[in-house]
């Protein structure tokens, strides 16, 4: 099989041109271990089609992707004896996306791993929050 995007490292993995530690494959999805894991067992789940971000993935792939995330997530937790699991997904460089082929990170977590992956802030006032909610709600298509 030829890579769908010849410049994309994940398309090359899907095409078998670059090896990976595969954990699951279906007609439309692939899952393999991240080469630089947050914790051992950190897996990546991706559609085989080259869609740059989450927002480009066709809706009809949604249920297969969700099912794959559940199946692989359960297996990652069982294999690593994890106490928890983070699902993370980066879109665009500003959000830390390094590979422009949409993918989901499944990161096994242990109660004592000491990681803080999700620092949070607040809003200056309640109006800022409700105003932003209204703007976003008006743009959901
Ligand atoms: P992103 O930052 O785009 O959300 O995540 C890309 C992930 O892909 C990174 O965590 C990185 O370690 C992983 N990665 C990059 N190149 C390769 C590769 O060739 N093989 C594997 N298995 N993982 C890769
Ligand atoms: Zn690709």
């Amino acid at each position: 099989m030829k890579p769908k995007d010849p410049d994309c490292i994940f398309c090359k993995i899907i095409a078998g041109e670059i090896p990976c530690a595969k954990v699951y494959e279906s007609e439309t999805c692939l899952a393999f271990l991240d080469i630089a894991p947050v914790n051992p067992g950190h897996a990546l789940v991706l559609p085989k089609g080259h869609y740059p971000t989450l927002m480009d993935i066709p809706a009809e792939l949604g249920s297969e992707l969700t099912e794959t995330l559940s199946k692989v997530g359960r297996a990652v937790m069982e294999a690593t004896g994890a106490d928890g699991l983070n699902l993370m997904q980066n879109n665009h460089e500003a959000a830390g996306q390094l590979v422009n082929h949409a993918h989901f990170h499944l990161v096994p977590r242990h109660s004592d791993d000491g990681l803080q992956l999700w620092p949070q802030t607040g809003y200056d006032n309640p109006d800022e929050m409700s105003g932003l909610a209204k703007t976003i709600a008006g743009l959901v298509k």
Side-chain angles (χ1 to χ4, degrees), residues 1-135:
M1 193 212 289
K2 267 185 149 179
K4 296 216 163 90
D5 178 337
D7 297 324
C8 171
I9 193 152
F10 286 176
C11 281
K12 287 182 184 167
I13 288 176
I14 292 159
E17 284 188 4
I18 294 178
C20 72
K22 183 163 79 179
V23 297
Y24 179 77
E25 183 169 20
S26 69
E27 207 179 303
T28 58
C29 298
L30 179 68
F32 53 87
L33 295 189
D34 193 304
I35 205 164
V38 172
N39 276 332
H42 174 171
L44 301 173
V45 170
L46 43 145
K48 288 184 173 175
H50 181 86
Y51 307 108
T53 74
L54 171 71
M55 288 77 80
D56 303 307
I57 298 176
E60 57 265 29
L61 282 183
S63 61
E64 172 116 24
L65 268 172
T66 312
E67 199 185 333
T68 304
L69 288 167
S70 298
K71 279 186 195 172
V72 176
R74 276 194 293 270
V76 165
M77 281 194 73
E78 194 175 335
T80 59
D83 305 305
L85 185 83
N86 284 118
L87 169 62
M88 298 200 298
Q89 208 274 323
N90 304 322
N91 298 286
H92 300 293
E93 198 179 342
Q97 185 177 12
L98 298 173
V99 179
N100 294 320
H101 181 129
H103 55 279
F104 299 80
H105 296 256
L106 289 172
V107 180
R109 297 296 306 277
H110 304 277
S111 304
D112 59 355
D113 66 20
L115 291 171
Q116 162 112 40
L117 301 179
W118 198 254
Q120 288 178 284
T121 60
Y123 289 98
D124 289 340
N125 59 67
D127 288 349
E128 185 194 355
M129 188 175 175
S130 57
L132 195 51
K134 248 190 208 155
T135 305

